[in-house]
Amino acid sequence: MDCIARNLRFGLVAAVSSVCFVACGDDGGGQGNGTGTGGPGTGGSDADGTADGGDGPAPPDDVQEQAEVIECSDHPLSGPGNGTCAVEAGSNGATLLRGAVLTPRGVLRGGQVLVGSDGTIACVDCDCTSEAQAADAAVVTCDQGVISPGLINPHDHITFANNTPIGEGPDRYEHRHDWRTGANGHVELNTNGGASADVVRAAELRFLMSGATSIAGAGSAAGLVRNLDTSGALEGLAARVADSDTFPLDDANGTTQEMGCNYGGSPASGGSIDNLDSYLPHIAEGIGQTACNEFSCSAGEFDLIAPQTAVVHGVGLTADKVDQMREADALLVWSPRSNVVLYGNTASVTLFDHLSVPIALGTDWVPSGSMNMFRELQCADSLNSVYFDGHFSDFELWQMVTTNAAFAVGAEDGIGMLKRGYMADIAVFNAGGGNEDHRAIIAGTEADTVLVMRGGEPLFGDAALMDVLRPGCESLDVCGTSKVACVEADTGETLAAARSAMESFYPLFFCGTPDDEPSCVPTRPGEYTGMGGGDSDGDGVGDADDNCPAVFNPVRPLEEVQGDFDQDGYGDACDTCPLLATNDCTPYVVADLDGDGVPNGTDNCPDDPNADQADDDNDGHGDLCDDCAASNPGPAGCVTTIPAVRDPSHPDHPTVGDAVRIEGVIVTGLHDDNSGLYVQDPAGGEFSGLFVFVGGGADAAAVGDIVTVTGTYDEFFELSQLDGGNVQVTEPGGGLPVTPIVVTPAEVANGGEFSESYESMLVQVNAVSIVDMNPDAERDFDEFEIEDGLRVDDAAFDALDNLCEAGTTFDSIVGLLSFSFGNHKLLPRSADDLVKPSCTPF
């Protein structure tokens, strides 16, 4: 879409093509002087210090998006007597939650959320009791509780959790390379990014305790929160892995440029992000021209500003650059605490909001950021109330860690919202003390987190609830409240081990303000203090001369004056029409990526304009963007078959990264490390086997079970598989024993006639013998080789070893045909798959 068309779409009625590609303040064009001299287009100030906009009309008032509130017939709910919620045990694995339900549109007071036994949301409504699973579900009633989607942290560096915070900070910087390398005479920050698995696990628990169920953290440990940017750590979510790119311009060596794009030899490019649903690049982390030039190169030569892009930080941007992000349907990931303590400033989020760029909120890291989502929300809330003139409503702040964050990480079809078919990632918070609805989360503490579920599985919460919903987990006292955390049950490692490892650096949680927490008060010594005294917004410009007297907008090295791109006397931070000097525009009400008038969170085709919201199969995917023949609510993708996934010539063969759902297939084997399982179409035939990588917990299913599997299609080192697989057992033991296909070793070894089409299927070779007891002579991988180069490996039967000598014979070997490290291999599943070997070491 061209620049004029895009702005007409959003009510900007003047011709603005001239502002779309203006440089970042390097030519003096488009920058107001902020001096209050008056006159047409330059802006002055009235006696009360309020900008009058020169001869033009005053800009329209900001319009907040407020939550729609519906009082259900059950409101108010009767209280549990003690605690926030009462619980009644169920018998079918489903859970019915009752309380104030936070939906993408607003609040259902006295509403209900039914979590199905498969870990997805079956109903969100005032009354879900007519649903099939409701009758025998556990019931959690929270008269003082707020039921929210689990929070999403779209930006953290979790492997730096083994550091301590910098408090007020030793310096204020102009660019991130200043603190990374000590450049330009600044104090270098020394940090360690080598946190142990136990520390990372504790950091994940720390986020979980603040209601987060997913993070893009540039690292992971098994279990607990979903790690959205780490392959194999999506915990059953059918989504493409996000790409957290710390150095998109290949500038890790500290290169900065005011002009030109020669940063490093291997920058990211538009082609390299084409197949991503979420690209999270660090861009413009600084307050000068060097930061803004990064964006110019990213948007121009490298083509990185795209619909899948959520720019991390975006501090040093002018109004035209923000408009380029909106033009591309890109988002912003805002990390206010880290920005403020490092640079004394942060992204001009009021400007981003004026131009309808969705904003998500991320913690960054422990050294300069927030230790959990509560603390980052409270920093954003403080900035909003003290420095941004209350620009954002509580609803909008909450959207930054739910709906908007889901869009930022490319998982808006499955998490971040309470919708039918979505993963049951849910957090319940105490709404006592006057903190109702969204304020209960913004003002919350770890003691206020009543229950957290990931995919319907309770992981943390009040002991009274957890002892019924998931007994046997580990206890801990959180500021006088008895809590339970399922660390060992979910990860195999104990809470005590994780907490001990973490607390050798910094506590797991605090009862009050964390020690040495990085500052959230914007200050730069000699420039501004963040305090009043004739300067209401604390930005160093007195009210009488301030072009945004109520909204923090200091003079930055980038502009050398207060930013006023359209030179109308109203600073960009408070100008509802920052690109038009006439101020003749309609203020934006909500973020609406496709411009069809339906907010992103409720739009059933958020990337395709469909004001009618037609959805014939009622699955939450609008007809315009729904390619599936059958109803498929949530993230599962279209129902398909194993042959369609496996056979590249099949007309329904998916693209790598597509979400798929396969029903009614039989489990034929499990990996011995519990990371995945093999399934086969009961109809048999070529291309009827598939490996499903789940990352852990594969033994929730057993050989012979009939299952439904979901995940994203991938070719992992030439092995077709589903990534992030979720397995639902629909008929335990209901599959007939799968008869292996009899083949010769030559037919399925490398280059064999059926080596590709029988991949992941159960096959059998007869009358074979060991040719080489250790084909990888330099290393022992516990596999041996039989005729024609076919290997037999222990990946599905750990007791199998290569202790039998060459010449050992077998009447038959049954195994799953797999491929790894350049070789096709048989994977026997037990000793029963090796018939009458002349050597039996297992």
Side-chain angles (χ1 to χ4, degrees):
M1 181 179 296
D2 63 76
C3 195
I4 294 177
R6 179 255 154 193
N7 284 293
L8 286 174
R9 183 177 89 193
F10 286 90
L12 301 184
V13 295
V16 294
S17 59
S18 62
V19 304
C20 286
F21 301 102
V22 176
C24 301
D26 56 353
D27 64 351
Q31 306 300 329
N33 58 24
T35 59
T37 56
T42 61
S45 57
D46 297 331
D48 63 0
T50 302
D52 61 19
D55 292 340
D61 293 333
D62 286 338
V63 178
Q64 291 182 332
E65 185 181 2
Q66 299 290 346
E68 175 186 279
V69 177
I70 296 175
E71 293 194 354
C72 301
S73 60
D74 281 351
H75 177 74
L77 298 170
S78 58
N82 55 68
T84 305
C85 305
V87 60
E88 302 169 35
S91 60
N92 64 354
T95 305
L96 181 66
L97 302 169
R98 303 171 67 223
V101 178
L102 305 186
T103 74
R105 189 182 300 276
V107 186
L108 298 176
R109 294 203 176 130
Q112 299 181 3
V113 179
L114 178 63
V115 177
S117 59
D118 64 349
T120 65
I121 296 172
C123 172
V124 181
D125 209 334
C126 278
D127 186 356
C128 293
T129 57
S130 63
E131 295 288 329
Q133 296 189 65
D136 297 314
V139 179
V140 178
T141 300
C142 307
D143 71 314
Q144 293 293 312
V146 169
I147 302 166
S148 169
L151 310 188
I152 300 170
N153 182 358
H155 176 55
D156 193 79
H157 296 274
I158 200 167
T159 61
F160 287 81
N162 57 329
N163 290 268
T164 56
I166 64 173
E168 291 293 324
D171 204 347
R172 293 291 184 267
Y173 305 91
E174 287 72 57
H175 190 276
R176 66 169 171 163
H177 292 326
D178 293 344
W179 56 260
R180 288 187 62 244
T181 67
N184 301 313
H186 283 289
V187 178
E188 182 178 354
L189 296 182
N190 293 309
T191 56
N192 184 328
S196 69
D198 271 335
V199 172
V200 171
R201 195 170 291 112
E204 292 194 11
L205 174 61
R206 179 185 280 163
F207 286 125
L208 195 73
M209 292 171 68
S210 63
T213 51
S214 296
I215 64 170
S220 71
L224 300 180
V225 299
R226 303 183 194 276
N227 301 97
L228 302 173
D229 55 355
T230 304
S231 180
L234 297 181
E235 306 295 345
L237 175 67
R240 284 187 173 99
V241 175
D243 182 359
S244 292
D245 193 350
T246 306
F247 300 105
L249 305 182
D250 194 24
D251 60 334
N253 62 357
T255 298
T256 58
Q257 303 278 4
E258 291 196 357
M259 297 181 64
C261 301
N262 185 21
Y263 288 92
S266 301
S269 66
S272 68
I273 70 171
D274 277 348
N275 290 326
L276 299 174
D277 284 344
S278 171
Y279 180 55
L280 302 165
H282 288 58
I283 296 174
E285 188 182 347
I287 57 175
Q289 173 62 22
T290 54
C292 192
N293 190 67
E294 293 174 1
F295 182 90
S296 297
C297 293
S298 298
E301 181 172 331
F302 302 129
D303 193 24
L304 299 178
I305 308 302
Q308 65 267 42
T309 303
V311 171
V312 176
H313 296 304
V315 179
L317 297 182
T318 48
D320 59 322
K321 302 303 178 186
V322 176
D323 193 55
Q324 282 183 260
M325 287 180 60
R326 185 60 188 88
E327 181 102 4
D329 289 338
L331 297 89
L332 174 74
V333 176
W334 180 35
S335 295
R337 189 181 300 279
S338 189
N339 294 164
V340 164
V341 78
L342 293 175
Y343 311 107
N345 198 351
T346 188
S348 184
V349 287
T350 53
L351 169 63
F352 280 85
D353 194 52
H354 287 147
L355 289 174
S356 198
V357 174
I359 301 165
L361 190 68
T363 54
D364 199 2
W365 63 344
V366 166
S368 63
S370 295
M371 67 182 293
N372 62 34
M373 296 303 287
F374 284 138
R375 300 308 301 170
E376 194 69 14
L377 270 168
Q378 285 159 30
C379 176
D381 183 48
S382 174
L383 289 170
N384 183 53
S385 61
V386 177
Y387 298 101
F388 301 155
D389 198 27
H391 176 89
F392 297 102
S393 67
D394 284 356
F395 183 43
E396 291 170 318
L397 289 172
W398 170 82
Q399 287 178 315
M400 294 181 187
V401 294
T402 54
T403 303
N404 293 356
F407 277 87
V409 298
E412 67 272 15
D413 281 341
I415 58 174
M417 289 162 271
L418 298 180
K419 293 183 178 182
R420 183 173 65 90
Y422 276 49
M423 304 300 291
D425 289 10
I426 297 174
V428 181
F429 301 90
N430 175 27
N435 291 323
E436 68 177 9
D437 300 340
H438 307 92
R439 178 55 46 177
I441 303 168
I442 296 167
T445 69
E446 294 88 330
D448 296 317
T449 305
V450 178
L451 178 65
V452 183
M453 310 171 88
R454 186 204 68 225
E457 190 78 75
L459 293 176
F460 176 80
D462 285 357
L465 296 183
M466 294 292 290
D467 288 347
V468 174
L469 297 176
R470 193 176 183 184
C473 293
E474 298 146 290
S475 300
L476 73 162
D477 182 279
V478 177
C479 306
T481 303
S482 297
K483 301 286 186 181
V484 166
C486 297
V487 177
E488 186 171 15
D490 204 56
T491 71
E493 304 294 335
T494 66
L495 167 62
R499 186 171 183 181
S500 175
M502 167 65 76
E503 294 193 338
S504 64
F505 301 100
Y506 197 61
L508 180 65
F509 61 89
F510 286 85
C511 302
T513 302
D515 294 347
D516 298 318
E517 181 176 60
S519 175
C520 195
V521 176
T523 63
R524 284 185 67 87
E527 298 179 41
Y528 48 85
T529 64
M531 307 302 287
D535 177 14
S536 299
D537 57 8
D539 60 7
V541 181
D543 291 343
D545 296 320
D546 196 334
N547 62 17
C548 285
V551 179
F552 181 83
N553 66 328
V555 174
R556 303 184 295 181
L558 175 57
E559 298 101 339
E560 298 181 350
V561 293
Q562 284 187 301
D564 179 13
F565 188 81
D566 57 11
Q567 295 185 307
D568 64 354
Y570 299 100
D572 294 332
C574 62
D575 190 345
T576 313
C577 311
L579 302 178
L580 301 179
T582 65
N583 295 318
D584 185 13
C585 72
T586 302
Y588 304 130
V589 179
V590 295
D592 176 17
L593 287 168
D594 61 8
D596 61 4
V598 182
N600 294 331
T602 55
D603 196 336
N604 61 21
C605 286
D607 298 315
D608 301 288
N610 66 328
D612 64 4
Q613 295 289 287
D615 179 13
D616 286 347
D617 59 5
N618 194 33
D619 64 356
H621 302 294
D623 295 341
L624 183 65
C625 58
D626 190 351
D627 296 327
C628 300
S631 177
N632 65 312
C638 300
V639 176
T640 188
T641 64
I642 293 177
V645 173
R646 285 279 296 110
D647 184 356
S649 67
H650 196 285
D652 297 326
H653 183 65
T655 301
V656 167
D658 283 353
V660 297
R661 177 183 179 91
I662 304 171
E663 300 176 343
V665 292
I666 303 172
V667 177
T668 53
L670 282 69
H671 244 253
D672 68 340
D673 62 1
N674 209 23
S675 65
L677 49 81
Y678 291 84
V679 293
Q680 194 160 319
D681 191 313
E686 294 186 52
F687 297 106
S688 64
L690 182 65
F691 178 64
V692 182
F693 179 77
V694 298
D699 58 1
V703 172
D705 287 349
I706 295 178
V707 297
T708 292
V709 296
T710 60
T712 55
Y713 165 57
D714 190 21
E715 290 291 328
F716 184 75
F717 292 100
E718 301 182 52
L719 177 71
S720 300
Q721 66 179 41
L722 294 190
D723 275 343
N726 182 278
V727 180
Q728 179 188 0
V729 177
T730 57
E731 191 175 344
L736 296 174
V738 176
T739 302
I741 299 173
V742 178
V743 297
T744 66
E747 287 175 325
V748 293
N750 288 354
E753 179 181 359
F754 302 113
S755 60
E756 180 64 23
S757 60
Y758 288 175
E759 180 185 287
S760 298
M761 293 176 62
L762 199 62
V763 301
Q764 176 177 326
V765 292
N766 294 328
V768 293
S769 59
I770 296 178
V771 174
D772 191 337
M773 63 182 293
N774 185 18
D776 296 292
E778 295 181 0
R779 297 183 64 183
D780 183 358
F781 291 107
D782 291 342
E783 63 183 28
F784 57 81
E785 185 178 299
I786 58 176
E787 288 86 353
D788 298 306
L790 182 62
R791 298 190 179 197
V792 180
D793 188 82
D794 69 341
F797 177 37
D798 191 50
L800 180 71
D801 209 336
N802 57 352
L803 300 180
C804 294
E805 296 182 354
T808 298
T809 60
F810 300 82
D811 286 357
S812 67
I813 301 177
V814 172
L816 299 153
L817 181 63
S818 188
F819 182 86
S820 63
F821 295 97
N823 286 284
H824 285 90
K825 305 174 181 181
L826 286 187
L827 311 182
R829 302 160 299 171
S830 70
D832 292 339
D833 282 345
L834 299 133
V835 179
K836 296 184 179 179
S838 57
C839 168
T840 56
F842 39 82

